[in-house]
């Protein structure tokens, strides 16, 4: 019997976990699979191993594992595959398949633009900064740069830059230093699913820049476009 296991990132903030679960429950309604379970990569329970065990206890003989991640970095490339390899040894008769992070998707580009429109402050000659969580994997830089280019071209922004809260690539602090001598309007969109601690951290770092024409938007978040993109990725996974 086929199962789908959703792996969300997890958060120290209870509201972050609740948001992820509520979002995935909406996704589950669109996936016609008899067994569907939710688990977390870290910072919340159940764990990946516990999620796999729950699927098997419900009769799963094949498990499609879907990472709820925006970009393919350490978690997607190493941490989750490591857990799958362990499960393959523990449950040798069960078939495991593994999906892709959301990556570059037109619906997510549309949501980024919607976040800017929601501020009701969009003007001609506006620029955008996308802030990623960050990773030591250089591939994350390239993918976020592709997303930035697509957003710029699709919605005619003057420029769309990227930076990261940690890891490789330009840091948020470096970008702020460059902004010191530039008063053109910039919309900052955190490229994050959960609007929690990291969003608050960005807002805190912007204190003192109120006169620099910088507008912080809501994070990408769990909207209908993200839900549709994820459902599409799950259907792709279930075709294998």
């Amino acid at each position: 019997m086929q199962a789908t296991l959703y792996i969300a990132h997890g958060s120290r903030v209870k509201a972050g976990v609740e948001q992820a679960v509520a979002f995935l429950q909406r996704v589950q309604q669109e996936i016609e699979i008899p067994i569907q379970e939710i688990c977390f990569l870290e910072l919340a329970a159940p764990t990946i191993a516990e999620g796999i065990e729950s699927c098997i206890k419900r009769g799963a003989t094949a498990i499609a594992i879907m990472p709820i991640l925006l970009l393919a970095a350490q978690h997607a490339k190493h941490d989750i595959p490591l857990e799958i390899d362990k499960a393959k040894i523990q449950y040798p008769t069960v078939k495991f398949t593994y999906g892709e992070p959301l990556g570059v998707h037109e619906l997510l580009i549309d949501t980024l633009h919607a976040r800017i429109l929601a501020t009701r402050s969009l003007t001609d000659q506006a620029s955008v900064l996308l802030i990623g969580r960050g990773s030591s994997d250089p591939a994350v830089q390239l993918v976020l740069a592709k997303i930035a280019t697509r957003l710029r071209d699709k919605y005619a922004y003057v420029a769309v830059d990227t930076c990261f809260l940690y890891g490789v690539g330009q840091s948020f602090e470096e970008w702020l230093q460059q902004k010191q001598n530039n008063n053109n309007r910039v919309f900052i969109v955190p490229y994050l699913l959960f609007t929690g601690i990291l969003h608050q951290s960005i807002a805190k770092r912007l204190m003192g820049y109120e006169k620099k024409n910088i507008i912080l938007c809501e994070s990408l978040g769990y909207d209908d476009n993200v839900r549709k993109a994820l459902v599409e990725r799950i259907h792709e996974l279930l075709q294998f």
Side-chain angles (χ1 to χ4, degrees):
M1 189 182 299
Q2 180 69 57
T4 302
L5 178 64
Y6 305 87
I7 303 179
H9 186 278
S11 173
R12 291 184 177 86
V13 180
K14 183 181 177 182
V17 176
E18 292 174 344
Q19 279 187 19
V21 171
F23 169 72
L24 290 173
Q25 287 174 340
R26 294 197 300 275
V27 171
Q28 288 177 327
Q29 295 173 12
E30 299 186 45
I31 305 298
E32 296 180 354
I33 293 294
I35 302 171
Q36 299 187 66
E37 294 285 342
I38 298 169
C39 68
F40 295 92
L41 183 59
E42 59 186 7
L43 305 175
T47 64
I48 296 173
E50 291 168 340
I52 291 171
E53 183 180 9
S54 294
C55 291
I56 291 172
K57 282 183 176 178
R58 293 178 63 187
T61 55
I63 302 176
I65 294 181
M66 189 67 218
I68 315 303
L69 299 171
L70 290 171
L71 305 170
Q74 177 74 19
H75 290 323
K77 293 180 178 177
H78 301 286
D79 299 339
I80 297 175
L82 181 62
E83 293 297 320
I84 295 174
D85 287 343
K86 292 178 184 175
K88 286 179 177 176
I89 295 172
Q90 188 172 359
Y91 308 106
T93 62
V94 176
K95 177 185 177 183
F96 291 91
T97 51
Y98 182 39
E100 297 285 338
L102 290 168
V104 182
H105 197 292
E106 286 300 310
L107 287 172
L108 305 192
I109 303 297
D110 294 341
T111 291
L112 291 172
H113 181 59
R115 294 291 180 257
I116 295 166
L117 290 178
T119 66
R120 300 180 182 275
S121 303
L122 182 58
T123 60
D124 291 338
Q125 303 300 308
S127 297
V128 179
L129 175 69
L130 301 181
I131 302 182
R133 179 189 293 268
S135 170
S136 59
D137 188 337
V140 168
Q141 267 185 281
L142 297 176
V143 176
L144 193 59
K146 288 181 181 177
I147 293 168
T149 299
R150 186 65 192 126
L151 176 63
R152 182 198 65 194
D153 293 347
K154 187 170 186 177
Y155 290 105
Y157 289 104
V158 171
V160 180
D161 295 326
T162 63
C163 72
F164 297 89
L165 296 174
Y166 63 86
V168 297
Q170 178 178 235
S171 70
F172 188 31
E173 284 73 16
E174 289 170 340
W175 181 86
L176 285 172
Q177 288 176 3
Q178 293 178 11
K179 178 66 181 172
Q180 290 282 1
N181 299 319
N182 184 352
N183 288 315
N184 293 332
R185 177 161 295 183
V186 180
F187 294 88
I188 295 179
V189 187
Y191 201 69
L192 306 167
L193 287 173
F194 173 53
T195 57
I197 293 175
L198 292 179
H199 192 281
Q200 295 168 11
S201 169
I202 294 168
K204 188 174 181 180
R205 293 186 202 188
L206 285 175
M207 293 177 66
Y209 288 86
E210 292 85 354
K211 297 181 181 179
K212 291 292 182 181
N213 215 1
I214 297 174
I215 299 173
L216 177 59
C217 305
E218 292 296 326
S219 299
L220 180 73
Y222 294 110
D223 77 342
D224 282 346
N225 280 346
V226 176
R227 176 181 54 76
K228 291 174 184 175
L230 179 59
V231 168
E232 185 179 309
R233 291 283 185 262
I234 296 168
H235 285 152
E236 292 170 358
L237 171 61
L238 292 173
Q239 289 176 357
F240 287 98

